[in-house]
Amino acid sequence: MKKLISLTILPALFLFVLVSCQDDFLDGPAQGVLSEAVLNNQNGVEASLIAAYSMLDGFPGGGWAAGGSNSVLGSMASDDAYKGSEPGDQQPMTDVELYQWATQGTDNYMADKWRVVYRSVNRANSTLNLLNGLEEGGISASDRQRIEGEVRFLRAHYHFEGYKVWENIPYYTEVDEDFRKGNSEPALPLIIADMQAAINLLPIDQNSIGRVTQWTAKAYLGKLQVWAGDYAGAKATLDDVVNNGPYELRECFHDPFTAGADENGSETVLAFQASTNDGTTNGENGNRNDRLNFPHGGSPFGCCGFHQPSQNLVNAHKVDASGLPFLDGSFNNSDVEVSTPVDPRLDWNVGRDDVPFLDWGLHTPNWIRDRAWAGPYSPKKHIYEQGSDARSSVGWNNAHLSSQNTHLLRYADVLLLLAEAEVELSNLDRAREIVNEIRTRAGNCAQGPEEGPIEVAISDPSITWATYQIGTYDDPWTDQGAARAAVRMERRLELAMEGHRFFDLRRWGIAEQVLNQYISVEQTRRQYLTAAAPYTERHNIYPLPTVQIELATVDGEQRLVQNPGW
């Protein structure tokens, strides 16, 4: 059991109290409520803080679209993935994919995500209020500072989750008493301010695995600065992280996506610390909100076949004679075959027929729920190895619940954000060096044969299912547009199926162009995509949930204003 997650069920313990059948129970305090008196000590504050951390995966309280991995709103809405599964199952996911976001189902999905975002924010603010209520001497100055730093970080992160989806959101602090708050004030500067405050409060390192540090906050601040278009600020922040921080790329691309003692390695910046077989009755601390995203049918997992990689994503892994990607989009002119030279990351990102699926054996056609509907590929990147002890022993279809961490920010992402800033600042060759570092690591290992080790050299003669090849950009970059395209492609290949793609396309201002072109081709492969609505400017921000607009209406005044076009 992971040290951090071991306390996530603590607040729930207070809910299971027996209520007397006598009338005088009405005179006592409400049962099942955590009173301030109970928590008014350092242990109580620490337990409240852990409860705030536990929301990093979007559970409890969220539906499938509320997961911290953003597999629905950040991946299925992009050119990385189809909804998958079969027609009719989780129709709102299909509506997200088809850009039909005004349906009742997608409104419910938005409500799920909103509820999780602000339940998470509330846990952070409640912790800060508890901390502020502790008398001097009840906690050391260093612990007080550390906890405030962790809370400010989490509050910023959870608001940023909402910002990525809706942009125009209310920002809540510990002093807010009325939840019916408007969304007219820009949120991103407030998020950045909280993160900067966290940097000043957090320690350099922590004793407990999974807790954020000053370096975590600096890396995250650099990400926020890139989003804000403050490329000079982002470069200064991320240069510090790269030159002086504790992070480095793991030897193998797949290393961060394994379960076990080494999973919180040098590439992990922020991750949900999943836990199984820890005493919960239904595996609640596992990766619950991503449990549908496993191969279906005849696979060892038995269900459910959602979040299937797109043909476009598979084809994007093609490389030319120099081992470089096709930046002009011509990769999609034909589909990948065994003889097609491909980036070895393809078979870490995607499950393909006749290719070993980690150590689970060969992927076969009967692993797919409905090939005619959603294609021949399975999600693979976040699946645990059979040889690990990550699988839950309890819960519905327990093969889907594991203790494998979900990365929310990893060092490869940080490096590519720095490369992006360098391009925008016209430091093109520094950006090239960073991209080459990522590509060099990608060539260290590839999916190996089912009877052998998973990590093998890409030249291993036992690899008969693919032609792996990868190269680096050896000529100086002199054209900013070409450099920008190379960095953006590298983000797609490196971060595929991790929930970033839609948000990247949107913030780059190219979502309308890329996604309409994607749909025009993919609807010839997946017939149901002919029902997709044209992607227009209004799709750059998701609609706010109707119920929240209604709840924030006071005396006829709508304090929450719906996003444009919805």
Side-chain angles (χ1 to χ4, degrees):
M1 188 193 320
K2 297 174 184 173
K3 186 174 181 182
L4 173 60
I5 298 300
S6 64
L7 290 178
T8 61
I9 61 171
L10 182 59
L13 298 181
F14 292 97
L15 301 179
F16 294 98
V17 293
L18 295 177
V19 179
S20 169
C21 292
Q22 299 176 9
D23 291 340
D24 60 4
F25 82 92
L26 296 172
D27 298 325
Q31 300 297 307
V33 175
L34 289 173
S35 71
E36 201 167 308
V38 171
L39 297 176
N40 192 24
N41 53 68
Q42 182 165 348
N43 287 338
V45 174
E46 295 279 12
S48 180
L49 174 60
I50 296 301
Y53 270 106
S54 74
M55 296 297 292
L56 285 172
D57 73 331
F59 180 79
W64 305 120
S69 67
N70 287 308
S71 63
V72 177
L73 302 179
S75 190
M76 295 179 196
S78 78
D79 50 357
D80 267 9
Y82 311 129
K83 185 268 291 193
S85 182
E86 62 187 6
D89 195 356
Q90 293 299 320
Q91 179 63 35
M93 286 189 195
T94 303
D95 293 339
V96 168
E97 184 182 8
L98 298 179
Y99 310 118
Q100 296 176 358
W101 297 348
T103 66
Q104 181 62 42
T106 53
D107 192 37
N108 291 337
Y109 265 34
M110 295 300 104
D112 287 341
K113 183 68 174 180
W114 186 282
R115 181 169 58 251
V116 164
V117 164
Y118 285 105
R119 180 172 292 179
S120 305
V121 168
N122 182 61
R123 289 193 182 191
N125 284 330
S126 295
T127 303
L128 192 52
N129 276 323
L130 286 170
L131 179 67
N132 291 338
L134 286 186
E135 297 180 357
E136 294 295 330
I139 186 172
S140 69
S142 60
D143 279 344
R144 183 184 291 274
Q145 179 173 309
R146 168 186 58 80
I147 292 171
E148 182 181 349
E150 291 179 78
V151 169
R152 298 287 288 268
F153 176 97
L154 291 172
R155 185 169 71 187
H157 166 73
Y158 291 133
H159 277 107
F160 187 59
E161 278 293 287
Y163 177 84
K164 287 191 299 185
V165 176
W166 298 288
E167 188 171 317
N168 301 303
I169 61 169
Y171 202 88
Y172 290 92
T173 70
E174 72 280 9
V175 300
D176 284 308
E177 296 181 354
D178 189 348
F179 74 90
R180 300 167 301 179
K181 195 171 184 179
N183 59 341
S184 59
E185 183 176 8
L188 190 55
L190 301 174
I191 296 170
I192 289 173
D194 251 347
M195 194 60 69
Q196 288 173 325
I199 291 172
N200 295 330
L201 293 164
L202 285 165
I204 294 294
D205 52 36
Q206 295 258 32
N207 293 326
S208 297
I209 292 172
R211 288 181 183 264
V212 299
T213 68
Q214 188 178 110
W215 288 115
T216 318
K218 284 184 177 181
Y220 208 121
L221 175 62
K223 177 175 184 172
L224 296 173
Q225 289 169 317
V226 169
W227 272 68
D230 177 12
Y231 298 113
K235 173 176 167 53
T237 302
L238 295 176
D239 270 342
D240 184 22
V241 173
V242 170
N243 295 330
N244 304 308
Y247 307 114
E248 62 180 0
L249 295 177
R250 302 287 297 275
E251 181 178 356
C252 177
F253 172 74
H254 180 62
D255 285 346
F257 304 98
T258 58
D262 196 34
E263 61 189 318
N264 287 291
S266 60
E267 195 165 337
T268 301
V269 180
L270 177 67
F272 167 66
Q273 302 292 311
S275 175
T276 54
N277 307 322
D278 53 9
T280 57
T281 56
N282 288 296
E284 288 90 344
N285 293 326
N287 51 346
R288 189 268 181 196
N289 276 4
D290 290 302
R291 66 187 310 176
L292 298 185
N293 302 336
F294 281 72
H296 189 62
S299 77
F301 312 100
C303 186
C304 291
F306 288 80
H307 197 211
Q308 289 183 232
S310 71
Q311 186 67 57
N312 183 287
L313 175 64
V314 171
N315 292 343
H317 287 79
K318 289 181 184 178
V319 295
D320 63 18
S322 299
L324 296 174
F326 294 91
L327 303 181
D328 61 356
S330 61
F331 62 80
N332 207 29
N333 293 344
S334 61
D335 295 343
V336 167
E337 299 178 351
V338 172
S339 60
T340 305
V342 293
D343 188 312
R345 286 173 289 191
L346 170 60
D347 288 320
W348 294 122
N349 291 330
V350 178
R352 301 190 296 147
D353 286 347
D354 301 320
V355 178
F357 194 90
L358 304 178
D359 59 350
W360 291 96
L362 294 180
H363 186 284
T364 59
N366 67 341
W367 285 32
I368 301 295
R369 191 166 190 169
D370 189 336
R371 294 172 77 90
W373 168 258
Y377 306 115
S378 289
K380 183 177 184 181
K381 195 168 196 175
H382 301 287
I383 310 299
Y384 60 94
E385 278 90 353
Q386 183 178 17
S388 73
D389 60 356
R391 176 174 174 163
S392 174
S393 60
V394 296
W396 168 72
N397 205 334
N398 55 293
H400 294 166
L401 289 171
S402 80
S403 59
Q404 183 164 306
N405 289 350
T406 299
H407 278 81
L408 306 177
L409 181 62
R410 60 187 179 94
Y411 187 53
D413 188 355
V414 171
L415 283 172
L416 289 168
L417 288 166
L418 176 56
E420 189 173 327
E422 297 286 20
V423 167
E424 300 309 322
L425 294 169
S426 297
N427 303 321
L428 304 187
D429 237 34
R430 173 58 180 144
R432 181 176 68 91
E433 292 173 2
I434 294 170
V435 169
N436 282 343
E437 183 179 354
I438 297 288
R439 295 187 63 77
T440 298
R441 191 276 292 272
N444 287 346
C445 65
Q447 168 71 67
E450 58 181 320
E451 69 276 7
I454 291 174
E455 297 179 18
V456 295
I458 63 175
S459 59
D460 193 307
S462 64
I463 298 175
T464 59
W465 53 83
T467 304
Y468 293 134
Q469 185 177 346
I470 191 165
T472 55
Y473 293 93
D474 297 332
D475 296 329
W477 284 356
T478 57
D479 181 272
Q480 187 180 42
R484 184 180 292 121
V487 171
R488 290 175 177 180
M489 174 62 88
E490 204 61 33
R491 278 191 67 83
R492 186 181 192 191
L493 299 172
E494 178 71 21
L495 304 175
M497 305 294 284
E498 294 184 49
H500 300 290
R501 178 64 174 171
F502 175 77
F503 302 123
D504 278 346
L505 291 172
R506 194 188 80 193
R507 68 185 177 85
W508 291 332
I510 61 174
E512 185 171 347
Q513 170 193 344
V514 170
L515 295 178
N516 281 327
Q517 174 63 25
Y518 162 74
I519 290 293
S520 72
V521 175
E522 289 299 315
Q523 64 188 5
T524 67
R525 295 165 171 158
R526 309 270 74 82
Q527 192 276 333
Y528 75 96
L529 290 175
T530 59
Y535 188 103
T536 62
E537 184 177 358
R538 72 172 184 163
H539 291 97
N540 286 327
I541 311 176
Y542 282 100
L544 272 64
T546 303
V547 65
Q548 295 301 330
I549 294 175
E550 293 171 348
L551 289 171
T553 299
V554 182
D555 296 330
E557 175 199 0
Q558 287 189 355
R559 295 184 179 178
L560 276 181
V561 178
Q562 181 60 274
N563 279 328
W566 301 106

